[in-house]
Amino acid sequence: MSDQTFYDKQGRPIAYTYNEHIYLFSGQPVAYFYNDSVYSFSGKHLGRYNNGWIRDNNGHCALFDQTASGGPAKPAKGARPAKGAKQAKPAKGAKSARPAKPASSVTWSSLSGSAFFLV
């Protein structure tokens, strides 16, 4: 995956990608991509990535990148902060079972922003 910035429902830049890993702008590694899924380093399935949207496990939009299409109205994107030094990635835990794919919603998730990675 190329370098993408992910924004929340207020347009605040929350995270960015480096290879298949997702980092907060503080440099903290919080998740990674595996096929179209997003997993925490502990192995929890957080959601899916499709058409520029990271959706929660209920199909609601949590974050978007500059390629996002469809979904709810996107806010104006805020300026990206400087990236902090990347912290060491934790070991990847065993991946939890991937839940059934829900229908894609055009509403925002209550987990928009950094809260998405903390569930």
Coordinates of all heavy atoms in Angstrom, one line a residue, residues 22-95:
I22 N -0.1 0.7 9.8 CA -0.8 2.0 10.1 C -0.2 2.6 11.4 O -0.1 1.9 12.4 CB -2.3 1.8 10.2 CG1 -2.9 1.2 9.0 CG2 -3.0 3.2 10.5 CD1 -4.4 0.8 9.1
Y23 N 0.2 3.9 11.3 CA 0.8 4.6 12.4 C -0.1 5.8 12.7 O -0.6 6.5 11.8 CB 2.2 5.1 12.1 CG 3.2 4.0 11.9 CD1 3.3 3.3 10.7 CD2 4.1 3.7 13.0 CE1 4.3 2.3 10.6 CE2 5.0 2.7 12.8 CZ 5.1 2.0 11.6 OH 6.1 1.0 11.5
L24 N -0.2 6.2 14.0 CA -0.7 7.5 14.4 C 0.4 8.5 14.1 O 1.6 8.1 14.0 CB -1.1 7.5 15.9 CG -2.1 6.5 16.3 CD1 -2.4 6.7 17.8 CD2 -3.4 6.8 15.5
F25 N 0.1 9.8 14.0 CA 1.1 10.8 13.7 C 2.2 10.9 14.8 O 3.3 11.4 14.6 CB 0.5 12.1 13.3 CG 0.1 12.1 11.9 CD1 -1.2 11.8 11.5 CD2 0.9 12.4 10.9 CE1 -1.6 11.7 10.2 CE2 0.5 12.4 9.5 CZ -0.8 12.1 9.2
S26 N 1.9 10.4 16.0 CA 2.8 10.4 17.1 C 4.0 9.4 16.8 O 5.0 9.4 17.5 CB 2.1 10.0 18.4 OG 1.7 8.6 18.3
G27 N 3.8 8.5 15.8 CA 4.7 7.4 15.5 C 4.3 6.1 16.1 O 5.0 5.1 15.8
Q28 N 3.2 6.0 16.8 CA 2.8 4.8 17.4 C 2.2 3.9 16.4 O 1.2 4.3 15.7 CB 1.8 5.0 18.5 CG 1.2 3.8 19.1 CD 0.1 4.1 20.1 OE1 -0.3 5.2 20.4 NE2 -0.5 3.0 20.7
P29 N 2.7 2.6 16.2 CA 2.1 1.7 15.3 C 0.8 1.1 15.9 O 0.8 0.7 17.1 CB 3.1 0.6 15.1 CG 3.9 0.7 16.4 CD 3.9 2.1 16.8
V30 N -0.3 1.2 15.2 CA -1.6 0.8 15.8 C -2.3 -0.4 15.1 O -3.2 -1.0 15.7 CB -2.6 2.0 15.9 CG1 -2.1 3.0 16.9 CG2 -2.8 2.7 14.6
A31 N -2.0 -0.6 13.8 CA -2.7 -1.7 13.1 C -1.9 -2.0 11.8 O -0.9 -1.4 11.5 CB -4.1 -1.2 12.7
Y32 N -2.5 -3.0 11.1 CA -1.9 -3.4 9.8 C -3.0 -3.9 8.9 O -4.1 -4.3 9.3 CB -0.7 -4.4 10.0 CG -1.1 -5.7 10.5 CD1 -1.4 -6.8 9.7 CD2 -1.2 -5.9 11.9 CE1 -1.8 -8.0 10.2 CE2 -1.6 -7.1 12.4 CZ -1.9 -8.2 11.6 OH -2.2 -9.4 12.1
F33 N -2.7 -3.9 7.6 CA -3.6 -4.4 6.6 C -3.2 -5.9 6.3 O -2.1 -6.2 6.2 CB -3.5 -3.6 5.3 CG -4.0 -2.2 5.4 CD1 -3.1 -1.2 5.5 CD2 -5.3 -2.0 5.4 CE1 -3.6 0.1 5.5 CE2 -5.8 -0.7 5.5 CZ -4.9 0.4 5.6
Y34 N -4.2 -6.7 6.2 CA -4.1 -8.1 5.7 C -5.2 -8.3 4.7 O -6.4 -8.3 5.1 CB -4.1 -9.1 6.8 CG -3.9 -10.5 6.4 CD1 -2.6 -11.0 6.1 CD2 -5.0 -11.4 6.2 CE1 -2.4 -12.3 5.7 CE2 -4.8 -12.7 5.8 CZ -3.5 -13.1 5.6 OH -3.3 -14.4 5.1
N35 N -4.9 -8.4 3.4 CA -5.9 -8.4 2.3 C -6.7 -7.1 2.5 O -6.1 -6.1 2.6 CB -6.7 -9.7 2.4 CG -5.8 -10.9 2.1 OD1 -4.9 -10.8 1.3 ND2 -6.2 -12.0 2.7
D36 N -8.0 -7.2 2.6 CA -8.8 -6.0 2.7 C -9.2 -5.7 4.2 O -10.0 -4.8 4.4 CB -10.1 -6.1 1.8 CG -11.1 -7.1 2.3 OD1 -10.7 -8.0 3.1 OD2 -12.3 -7.0 1.9
S37 N -8.6 -6.5 5.1 CA -8.9 -6.3 6.5 C -7.9 -5.4 7.2 O -6.8 -5.3 6.8 CB -9.0 -7.7 7.2 OG -10.1 -8.4 6.8
V38 N -8.3 -4.8 8.3 CA -7.5 -4.1 9.2 C -7.5 -4.8 10.6 O -8.5 -5.1 11.1 CB -8.0 -2.6 9.4 CG1 -7.1 -1.8 10.3 CG2 -8.1 -1.9 8.1
Y39 N -6.3 -5.1 11.0 CA -6.1 -5.8 12.3 C -5.2 -5.0 13.3 O -4.3 -4.3 12.8 CB -5.4 -7.2 12.1 CG -6.2 -8.2 11.5 CD1 -6.2 -8.4 10.1 CD2 -7.0 -9.1 12.3 CE1 -7.0 -9.4 9.5 CE2 -7.8 -10.1 11.7 CZ -7.8 -10.2 10.3 OH -8.5 -11.2 9.7
S40 N -5.6 -5.1 14.6 CA -4.7 -4.5 15.6 C -3.5 -5.5 15.7 O -3.6 -6.6 15.3 CB -5.4 -4.4 16.9 OG -5.7 -5.7 17.4
F41 N -2.4 -5.0 16.3 CA -1.3 -5.9 16.5 C -1.6 -7.0 17.4 O -0.9 -8.1 17.3 CB 0.0 -5.1 16.9 CG 0.6 -4.3 15.8 CD1 0.3 -3.0 15.6 CD2 1.5 -5.0 15.0 CE1 0.9 -2.3 14.5 CE2 2.1 -4.3 13.9 CZ 1.8 -3.0 13.7
S42 N -2.6 -6.9 18.3 CA -2.9 -8.0 19.1 C -3.7 -9.1 18.4 O -3.9 -10.2 18.9 CB -3.8 -7.5 20.3 OG -5.0 -7.1 19.8
G43 N -4.1 -8.8 17.1 CA -4.8 -9.8 16.3 C -6.3 -9.5 16.1 O -7.0 -10.3 15.4
K44 N -6.8 -8.5 16.8 CA -8.2 -8.2 16.7 C -8.6 -7.6 15.3 O -7.9 -6.7 14.8 CB -8.7 -7.3 17.8 CG -10.1 -7.0 17.8 CD -10.6 -6.1 18.9 CE -12.1 -5.9 18.8 NZ -12.6 -5.2 19.9
H45 N -9.7 -8.2 14.7 CA -10.1 -7.6 13.4 C -10.9 -6.3 13.7 O -11.9 -6.3 14.5 CB -11.1 -8.7 12.8 CG -11.5 -8.3 11.4 ND1 -12.6 -7.5 11.1 CD2 -10.9 -8.6 10.2 CE1 -12.6 -7.3 9.8 NE2 -11.7 -7.9 9.2
L46 N -10.4 -5.2 13.2 CA -11.0 -3.9 13.4 C -12.0 -3.5 12.4 O -12.9 -2.8 12.7 CB -9.8 -2.9 13.5 CG -8.8 -3.1 14.6 CD1 -7.7 -2.1 14.5 CD2 -9.5 -3.1 16.0
G47 N -11.7 -3.9 11.2 CA -12.6 -3.5 10.1 C -12.0 -3.8 8.7 O -11.1 -4.7 8.6
R48 N -12.6 -3.2 7.7 CA -12.1 -3.4 6.3 C -11.8 -2.1 5.6 O -12.4 -1.1 5.9 CB -13.2 -4.2 5.6 CG -13.4 -5.6 6.0 CD -14.5 -6.3 5.2 NE -14.4 -7.7 5.4 CZ -15.0 -8.3 6.4 NH1 -15.7 -7.7 7.3 NH2 -15.0 -9.7 6.5
Y49 N -10.9 -2.3 4.6 CA -10.6 -1.1 3.8 C -11.1 -1.4 2.4 O -10.8 -2.4 1.8 CB -9.0 -1.0 3.8 CG -8.5 0.1 2.8 CD1 -8.7 1.4 3.2 CD2 -7.9 -0.2 1.6 CE1 -8.2 2.4 2.3 CE2 -7.5 0.8 0.8 CZ -7.6 2.1 1.1 OH -7.2 3.1 0.3
N50 N -11.9 -0.4 1.9 CA -12.4 -0.5 0.5 C -12.8 0.8 0.0 O -13.3 1.7 0.7 CB -13.7 -1.4 0.6 CG -14.2 -1.7 -0.8 OD1 -15.1 -1.0 -1.3 ND2 -13.7 -2.7 -1.5
N51 N -12.4 1.1 -1.2 CA -12.7 2.4 -1.9 C -12.3 3.6 -1.1 O -13.0 4.6 -1.1 CB -14.2 2.5 -2.2 CG -14.7 1.4 -3.3 OD1 -13.9 1.0 -4.1 ND2 -15.9 1.0 -3.2
G52 N -11.1 3.5 -0.5 CA -10.6 4.6 0.3 C -11.2 4.8 1.7 O -10.8 5.7 2.3
W53 N -12.0 3.9 2.1 CA -12.7 4.0 3.4 C -12.2 2.8 4.3 O -12.1 1.7 3.8 CB -14.2 3.9 3.3 CG -14.8 5.0 2.6 CD1 -15.2 5.1 1.3 CD2 -15.2 6.2 3.2 NE1 -15.8 6.3 1.1 CE2 -15.8 7.0 2.2 CE3 -15.1 6.8 4.5 CZ2 -16.3 8.3 2.5 CZ3 -15.6 8.0 4.8 CH2 -16.2 8.8 3.7
I54 N -11.9 3.1 5.6 CA -11.8 2.1 6.6 C -13.1 2.1 7.3 O -13.5 3.1 7.8 CB -10.6 2.4 7.6 CG1 -9.3 2.3 6.8 CG2 -10.6 1.4 8.7 CD1 -8.1 2.6 7.7
R55 N -13.7 0.9 7.2 CA -15.1 0.7 7.8 C -14.9 -0.2 9.0 O -14.1 -1.1 9.1 CB -16.0 0.1 6.8 CG -16.3 1.0 5.6 CD -17.2 0.3 4.6 NE -17.4 1.1 3.5 CZ -18.5 2.0 3.4 NH1 -19.3 2.1 4.4 NH2 -18.6 2.8 2.3
D56 N -15.8 0.1 10.0 CA -15.8 -0.7 11.2 C -16.4 -2.1 10.9 O -16.9 -2.3 9.8 CB -16.4 0.0 12.4 CG -17.9 0.3 12.2 OD1 -18.6 -0.4 11.4 OD2 -18.4 1.1 13.0
N57 N -16.5 -3.0 11.9 CA -17.1 -4.3 11.6 C -18.6 -4.3 11.4 O -19.2 -5.3 11.1 CB -16.7 -5.2 12.8 CG -15.3 -5.7 12.7 OD1 -14.8 -5.9 11.6 ND2 -14.6 -5.8 13.8
N58 N -19.2 -3.1 11.5 CA -20.7 -3.0 11.2 C -20.9 -2.3 9.9 O -22.0 -2.1 9.5 CB -21.4 -2.2 12.3 CG -21.3 -2.9 13.6 OD1 -21.6 -4.1 13.7 ND2 -21.0 -2.2 14.7
G59 N -19.8 -2.0 9.1 CA -19.9 -1.4 7.8 C -20.0 0.1 7.8 O -20.1 0.7 6.7
H60 N -19.9 0.7 9.0 CA -19.9 2.2 9.0 C -18.5 2.8 8.8 O -17.5 2.2 9.2 CB -20.4 2.7 10.4 CG -21.8 2.1 10.7 ND1 -22.9 2.6 10.1 CD2 -22.2 1.2 11.6 CE1 -24.0 2.0 10.6 NE2 -23.6 1.1 11.4
C61 N -18.5 3.9 8.2 CA -17.2 4.6 7.8 C -16.5 5.2 9.0 O -17.1 6.0 9.8 CB -17.5 5.7 6.8 SG -18.2 5.0 5.3
A62 N -15.3 4.8 9.3 CA -14.5 5.3 10.4 C -13.5 6.3 10.0 O -13.3 7.3 10.6 CB -13.8 4.1 11.2
L63 N -12.8 6.0 8.9 CA -11.7 6.9 8.4 C -11.7 6.9 6.9 O -12.2 5.9 6.3 CB -10.4 6.4 8.9 CG -10.2 6.3 10.4 CD1 -9.1 5.4 10.8 CD2 -9.9 7.7 11.0
F64 N -11.2 7.9 6.3 CA -11.1 7.9 4.8 C -9.7 8.5 4.4 O -9.0 9.2 5.1 CB -12.2 8.8 4.2 CG -12.1 10.3 4.5 CD1 -11.5 11.1 3.5 CD2 -12.6 10.8 5.6 CE1 -11.5 12.5 3.7 CE2 -12.5 12.2 5.9 CZ -12.0 13.0 4.9
D65 N -9.3 8.1 3.2 CA -8.1 8.6 2.6 C -8.5 9.5 1.4 O -9.7 9.6 1.0 CB -7.1 7.5 2.3 CG -7.5 6.6 1.2 OD1 -8.4 6.9 0.3 OD2 -7.0 5.5 1.1
Q66 N -7.5 10.0 0.7 CA -7.7 10.9 -0.4 C -8.4 10.2 -1.6 O -8.9 10.9 -2.5 CB -6.4 11.6 -0.8 CG -5.2 10.7 -1.1 CD -4.4 10.5 0.2 OE1 -4.9 10.4 1.3 NE2 -3.1 10.3 0.0
T67 N -8.4 8.9 -1.7 CA -9.0 8.2 -2.8 C -10.5 7.8 -2.5 O -11.1 7.2 -3.4 CB -8.2 6.9 -3.1 OG1 -8.4 6.0 -2.1 CG2 -6.8 7.2 -3.4
A68 N -11.0 8.1 -1.3 CA -12.3 7.6 -0.9 C -13.4 8.1 -1.9 O -13.5 9.2 -2.3 CB -12.6 8.1 0.5
S69 N -14.3 7.1 -2.2 CA -15.4 7.4 -3.0 C -16.6 6.6 -2.4 O -16.5 5.6 -1.8 CB -15.2 6.9 -4.5 OG -15.0 5.5 -4.5
G70 N -17.8 7.2 -2.6 CA -19.0 6.7 -1.9 C -19.0 7.0 -0.5 O -18.2 7.9 -0.1
G71 N -19.8 6.5 0.3 CA -19.9 6.8 1.7 C -20.5 8.1 2.1 O -21.1 8.8 1.2
P72 N -20.4 8.6 3.3 CA -21.0 9.8 3.7 C -20.2 11.0 3.1 O -19.1 10.8 2.6 CB -20.9 9.8 5.2 CG -19.7 8.9 5.5 CD -19.7 7.9 4.4
A73 N -20.8 12.2 3.3 CA -20.1 13.4 2.8 C -18.8 13.5 3.6 O -18.8 13.3 4.8 CB -21.0 14.6 3.0
K74 N -17.7 13.9 2.9 CA -16.4 14.0 3.5 C -16.2 15.5 3.8 O -16.5 16.4 3.1 CB -15.3 13.5 2.5 CG -15.4 12.0 2.2 CD -14.3 11.6 1.3 CE -14.7 12.2 -0.1 NZ -14.1 11.6 -1.2
P75 N -15.7 15.7 5.0 CA -15.3 17.1 5.4 C -14.1 17.5 4.7 O -13.3 16.8 4.1 CB -15.1 17.0 6.9 CG -14.6 15.6 7.1 CD -15.3 14.7 6.1
A76 N -13.8 18.8 4.8 CA -12.5 19.4 4.3 C -11.4 18.7 5.1 O -11.5 18.6 6.3 CB -12.5 20.9 4.4
K77 N -10.3 18.4 4.4 CA -9.2 17.7 5.1 C -8.3 18.8 5.8 O -7.9 19.8 5.2 CB -8.4 16.9 4.1 CG -9.2 15.7 3.6 CD -8.3 14.9 2.6 CE -8.1 15.6 1.4 NZ -7.7 14.9 0.2
G78 N -7.9 18.5 7.0 CA -7.0 19.4 7.8 C -5.6 19.1 7.3 O -5.3 18.1 6.7
A79 N -4.7 20.0 7.7 CA -3.3 19.9 7.4 C -2.7 18.7 8.2 O -3.0 18.5 9.3 CB -2.6 21.2 7.7
R80 N -1.8 18.0 7.5 CA -1.2 16.9 8.2 C -0.1 17.4 9.1 O 0.7 18.3 8.8 CB -0.5 16.0 7.1 CG -1.4 15.2 6.3 CD -0.8 14.2 5.4 NE 0.6 14.4 5.1 CZ 1.3 13.5 4.5 NH1 0.9 12.3 4.1 NH2 2.6 13.8 4.2
P81 N -0.1 16.9 10.3 CA 1.0 17.3 11.3 C 2.3 16.6 10.9 O 2.3 15.6 10.1 CB 0.5 16.7 12.6 CG -0.4 15.6 12.3 CD -1.0 15.9 10.9
A82 N 3.4 17.0 11.5 CA 4.7 16.3 11.2 C 4.6 14.9 11.8 O 3.9 14.7 12.8 CB 5.8 17.1 11.9
K83 N 5.2 14.0 11.2 CA 5.2 12.6 11.7 C 6.3 12.4 12.7 O 7.4 12.8 12.6 CB 5.5 11.6 10.5 CG 4.5 11.6 9.4 CD 4.9 10.7 8.3 CE 3.9 10.7 7.2 NZ 4.3 10.0 6.0
G84 N 5.9 11.9 13.9 CA 6.8 11.5 14.9 C 7.7 10.4 14.5 O 7.4 9.6 13.5
A85 N 8.8 10.1 15.2 CA 9.6 9.0 14.9 C 8.8 7.7 15.1 O 8.1 7.6 16.1 CB 10.8 9.0 15.8
K86 N 9.0 6.8 14.1 CA 8.2 5.6 14.2 C 8.7 4.7 15.4 O 9.9 4.5 15.5 CB 8.4 4.8 12.9 CG 7.6 5.3 11.7 CD 7.8 4.4 10.5 CE 7.3 5.0 9.3 NZ 8.1 6.1 8.8
Q87 N 7.8 4.3 16.2 CA 8.2 3.4 17.3 C 8.2 2.0 16.8 O 7.7 1.7 15.7 CB 7.1 3.6 18.4 CG 7.0 5.0 19.0 CD 5.8 5.1 19.9 OE1 5.2 4.2 20.3 NE2 5.4 6.4 20.1
A88 N 8.9 1.2 17.6 CA 9.0 -0.3 17.2 C 7.6 -0.9 17.1 O 6.7 -0.6 17.9 CB 9.9 -1.0 18.2
K89 N 7.4 -1.7 16.1 CA 6.1 -2.4 15.9 C 6.1 -3.6 16.9 O 7.1 -4.3 17.0 CB 6.0 -2.9 14.5 CG 5.9 -1.9 13.5 CD 5.6 -2.4 12.1 CE 6.7 -3.3 11.5 NZ 7.9 -2.6 11.1
P90 N 5.0 -3.8 17.6 CA 4.9 -5.0 18.5 C 4.7 -6.2 17.6 O 4.4 -6.1 16.4 CB 3.6 -4.7 19.2 CG 2.8 -3.7 18.5 CD 3.8 -2.9 17.6
A91 N 5.0 -7.3 18.2 CA 4.8 -8.6 17.5 C 3.3 -8.7 17.1 O 2.4 -8.3 17.9 CB 5.2 -9.8 18.4
K92 N 3.0 -9.3 16.0 CA 1.6 -9.6 15.6 C 1.1 -10.8 16.3 O 1.7 -11.9 16.2 CB 1.6 -9.7 14.1 CG 1.9 -8.4 13.3 CD 1.9 -8.7 11.8 CE 2.3 -7.4 11.1 NZ 2.3 -7.6 9.6
G93 N 0.0 -10.6 16.9 CA -0.7 -11.7 17.6 C -1.5 -12.6 16.5 O -1.6 -12.1 15.4
A94 N -2.0 -13.7 16.9 CA -2.8 -14.5 16.0 C -4.0 -13.7 15.6 O -4.7 -13.1 16.5 CB -3.2 -15.8 16.7
K95 N -4.3 -13.7 14.3 CA -5.5 -13.0 13.8 C -6.8 -13.7 14.3 O -6.9 -14.9 14.2 CB -5.5 -12.9 12.3 CG -4.4 -12.0 11.8 CD -4.5 -11.8 10.3 CE -3.9 -12.8 9.4 NZ -2.6 -13.3 9.7

